[in-house]
Amino acid sequence: MLKINVLSVGKIKEDYYNQAIAEYAKRLGRFCNISQTIIEELPQGQDKLKKESQLILPKLSNFTVILDKEGQALTSLQLASKLQLWQNSNSDITILIGSSDGLDQTIKQIANYSMSFSCLTLPHSLAKVILFEQLYRAFMINSNGKYHK
């Protein structure tokens, strides 16, 4: 079974976001082994992103997808197609959501794929909910489920 680890920098404080993530994580359980790893966001300062990258790097798998404003925007159908390709060639995928300041260039360079949800700026907690929902939608599309319209 495919293992997906959602690695994110910074904790989500709002319970309603955590509840939504938990619901989609439960639904995803029938398609993949999904887990979450949270790295503490470092305070503002010199080399913040570089220091965060040093915490992130050891936690990445062989195949890493990052969420980045400069990444490729996909439709849900395109994400489903990508997920199918990734699943066929990988047993372990890390999807990374950086801190509110983004990701260090080192991480961007080693990522296998860079994806954007929108040209809009989204709060990281909402982006995480959207990620879980879109993963569930992609798996439902790939299994010919009725969830996607």
Side-chain angles (χ1 to χ4, degrees):
M1 182 178 268
L2 177 66
K3 180 181 179 203
I4 298 175
N5 183 35
V6 176
L7 176 59
S8 57
V9 180
K11 292 183 181 178
I12 295 178
K13 298 173 185 82
E14 301 88 352
D15 194 43
Y16 48 89
Y17 287 130
N18 287 317
Q19 288 173 5
I21 291 165
E23 175 60 28
Y24 285 112
K26 183 174 87 174
R27 293 181 189 190
L28 282 162
R30 68 187 252 211
F31 300 108
C32 66
N33 178 359
I34 191 150
S35 62
Q36 296 182 64
T37 303
I38 299 169
I39 294 175
E40 183 178 347
E41 183 170 359
L42 298 177
Q44 294 295 325
Q46 186 176 6
D47 296 329
K48 174 187 185 287
L49 293 180
K50 185 168 280 312
K51 290 175 185 173
E52 285 176 350
S53 74
Q54 293 169 353
L55 299 173
I56 291 168
L57 283 169
K59 301 196 181 309
L60 299 179
S61 63
N62 289 336
F63 193 85
T64 300
V65 177
I66 62 171
L67 295 181
D68 186 69
K69 65 182 179 181
E70 297 165 357
Q72 183 176 7
L74 301 171
T75 66
S76 295
L77 292 172
Q78 289 170 324
L79 177 58
S81 178
K82 290 275 186 205
L83 184 61
Q84 187 69 54
L85 288 171
W86 299 337
Q87 185 175 6
N88 289 340
S89 56
N90 300 281
S91 60
D92 191 4
I93 297 171
T94 299
I95 303 176
L96 173 59
I97 303 172
S99 71
S100 58
D101 292 311
L103 293 166
D104 186 67
Q105 201 61 37
T106 305
I107 301 291
K108 291 181 180 186
Q109 290 173 349
I110 65 165
N112 299 92
Y113 191 77
S114 179
M115 171 171 68
S116 173
F117 283 145
S118 171
C119 294
L120 300 172
T121 301
L122 300 173
H124 280 63
S125 48
L126 183 56
K128 193 169 183 180
V129 172
I130 292 169
L131 172 63
F132 274 74
E133 190 278 336
Q134 286 297 302
L135 288 173
Y136 176 68
R137 183 177 299 273
F139 277 110
M140 289 298 286
I141 289 167
N142 290 340
S143 67
N144 295 315
K146 294 182 181 180
Y147 183 78
H148 180 69
K149 296 179 170 85

